[in-house]
Amino acid sequence: MPNAQNVETLAKIKEELEGVSALWVVDYRGLSVKEAQQLRRSIREAGAHLTVYKNKLVRIALAESGLPEMEDILAGPSAFVFADGDPAAAAKAIKDFAKDNENLVIKGGMMDGVQYSAEQVEAIASLPSREALIGQIAGLISGVARGLAVTINGVPSGLAQSIKQVAEQKPAA
């Protein structure tokens, strides 16, 4: 007979997995309470939340949800970062915290149903945020539009200058 608390926790994990854009796994051994609170705060500011679950329950929830089970990642103490918004922002918050605190180790994770290694999670953390990418695309579109406007505007002004030069030469001739 399964433990009622485990059944309830499993249901909660499966519910969290449904609405998540990414799941990052970290090893939090050696963090003080104050450091753990600081980590949770920075992750929350990035639009995600950190929770500690039993690896076995997460593995079962992943299997029942049809997601990669992350066997190699789910070993030892694990904390799970559920990224509700921008997965890169959550990964960046983890990477920045780990840079200042060697006790936090990125183990890997999953995004869009694909498993990623620790190195790949760090690469995702290096990507610009969604807002920055949208700004870059808008800048590129604006630059193209500006160039097109200058080119289109150049044709009539060039024609006007040619007509003016012809008109100035006619009276002289």
Side-chain angles (χ1 to χ4, degrees), residues 134-152:
I134 290 172
Q136 289 174 357
I137 291 170
L140 290 172
I141 292 171
S142 172
V144 169
R146 188 178 313 112
L148 183 61
V150 167
T151 304
I152 291 173

Side-chain angles (χ1 to χ4, degrees), residues 2-115:
N3 181 344
Q5 183 178 1
N6 284 348
V7 171
E8 184 180 314
T9 303
L10 181 62
K12 184 177 178 183
I13 296 169
K14 286 169 55 176
E15 182 181 318
E16 285 193 78
L17 285 172
E18 286 178 15
V20 76
S21 58
L23 171 66
W24 308 129
V25 184
V26 296
D27 183 345
Y28 61 94
R29 279 184 290 193
L31 291 181
S32 68
V33 172
K34 186 175 181 177
E35 290 168 337
Q37 289 173 339
Q38 183 181 5
L39 173 62
R40 286 178 190 269
R41 190 175 314 112
S42 64
I43 289 173
R44 203 174 313 113
E45 289 170 1
H49 66 279
L50 180 125
T51 310
V52 177
Y53 291 119
K54 291 180 181 178
N55 288 338
K56 184 175 183 174
L57 293 177
V58 172
R59 197 175 292 120
I60 292 169
L62 289 169
E64 289 181 3
S65 299
L67 297 168
E69 295 179 35
M70 302 191 296
E71 289 289 330
D72 52 332
I73 296 173
L74 297 179
S78 300
F80 303 93
V81 178
F82 293 89
D84 301 321
D86 184 8
K92 184 174 178 67
I94 296 167
K95 182 180 175 184
D96 289 346
F97 188 88
K99 201 182 315 177
D100 297 334
N101 191 325
E102 69 276 352
N103 289 331
L104 183 74
V105 178
I106 300 171
K107 295 170 77 173
M110 178 190 61
M111 181 173 63
D112 296 329
V114 178
Q115 182 176 334

